[in-house]
Amino acid sequence: MTTLKNQRELLKAQRDSQKKKTTITILSIIGVVAIAFILLYFLPRREVNGPSVGSPEALVKVEQFSNFTCSHCQTFALESEADFLKDYVDSGKVYLTYFNYQFQEDDSSKAAEATYCAGEQNKFWEYKKLVYQNASYAGAFADESLRTYARNVSLNMTEFESCLQSDRQVSVIDEGRQYAQIKGINATPTFLVNGELVYQNELRDAVDAALAATTTN
């Protein structure tokens, strides 16, 4: 038969066990919050400035020349870019700038302008990714498609439409085209790594070599 004393001891043990579980839960939550704080404030973060991403203080500067009708550019954007950003840009090693480089005007010209307009709201990279994801489909560069991409990345639609109507980003794209021509860019995607022209299959090796050179100088 269970005595009153035994019941009290049992209840006390249950309360102690519950307190222990509560303490462990609280400590676990504190630990998760602390880790999140460290990741947020102490690890390198991706800085975005329009068509440029990464720390401007990075020792290696990479300039990318691509366009939305280039299949190899689409492949790089959808299959390689994310890993490159994670491995080199997020770590603070590389500052990457994207140039839309069309050899001539085509039906993707408005999409390029729209991407730069998205850059005014610091959504260049998100918008660019959506364009590349849809570039193979009919109507990908139609006006309504461009508006849909804008809504999907939560742009201020009034500001976006105003930018498109103003044509102010057209001159920015033209300046980029002239810069590419001066640098001898004749194919896409092409990259300049600290001023050295390289192709997609050479990019990582060129960046690694540039990083090695900066650490030995």
Side-chain angles (χ1 to χ4, degrees):
M1 179 180 294
T2 303
T3 65
L4 182 60
K5 180 179 178 182
N6 289 340
Q7 289 178 339
R8 288 175 178 172
E9 290 177 348
L10 180 61
L11 288 173
K12 182 177 182 302
Q14 291 175 340
R15 287 195 296 268
D16 289 345
S17 177
Q18 185 60 45
K19 286 181 181 178
K20 184 177 180 180
K21 290 179 181 178
T22 301
T23 300
I24 292 173
T25 300
I26 292 173
L27 290 175
S28 298
I29 293 172
I30 292 174
V32 170
V33 172
I35 292 172
F37 179 86
I38 291 171
L39 292 174
L40 182 62
Y41 290 99
F42 294 100
L43 293 181
R45 288 175 286 171
R46 187 176 297 175
E47 302 175 42
V48 179
N49 182 22
S52 297
V53 59
S55 170
E57 306 303 318
L59 295 177
V60 175
K61 306 295 192 296
V62 175
E63 296 169 309
Q64 177 184 352
F65 301 86
S66 297
N67 67 72
F68 293 126
T69 57
C70 160
S71 61
H72 293 299
C73 300
Q74 182 185 42
T75 298
F76 180 83
L78 301 182
E79 297 181 10
S80 302
E81 184 177 276
D83 286 339
F84 184 82
L85 291 173
K86 182 181 69 173
D87 295 342
Y88 293 102
V89 175
D90 292 349
S91 61
K93 298 174 182 177
V94 166
Y95 185 63
L96 175 63
T97 300
Y98 180 98
F99 290 90
N100 186 84
Y101 181 35
Q102 297 165 264
F103 301 102
Q104 58 187 8
E105 294 293 320
D106 57 39
D107 61 352
S108 73
S109 297
K110 203 66 178 180
E113 184 183 353
T115 304
Y116 280 82
C117 284
E120 291 187 355
Q121 299 183 45
N122 232 23
K123 292 294 182 69
F124 182 97
W125 293 86
E126 295 93 332
Y127 194 96
K128 177 177 72 65
K129 182 176 181 179
L130 277 180
V131 178
Y132 273 121
Q133 286 176 336
N134 292 278
S136 300
Y137 300 106
F141 309 131
D143 289 347
E144 189 51 43
S145 296
L146 301 182
R147 294 189 185 96
T148 298
Y149 307 150
R151 287 189 286 268
N152 286 346
V153 297
S154 303
L155 293 185
N156 180 307
M157 294 304 295
T158 300
E159 294 180 8
F160 177 73
E161 294 282 3
S162 175
C163 175
L164 283 178
Q165 292 171 12
S166 73
D167 292 333
R168 60 176 172 265
Q169 291 297 339
V170 173
S171 60
V172 175
I173 295 171
D174 286 342
E175 289 172 4
R177 182 184 295 113
Q178 293 169 15
Y179 176 66
Q181 292 169 347
I182 291 171
K183 293 295 184 179
I185 308 298
N186 56 19
T188 54
T190 301
F191 303 82
L192 292 177
V193 178
N194 281 355
E196 177 187 354
L197 190 152
V198 301
Y199 297 107
Q200 179 179 338
N201 62 322
E202 305 168 315
L203 178 59
R204 282 180 173 261
D205 287 343
V207 170
D208 289 339
L211 289 168
T214 59
T215 58
T216 56
N217 291 337

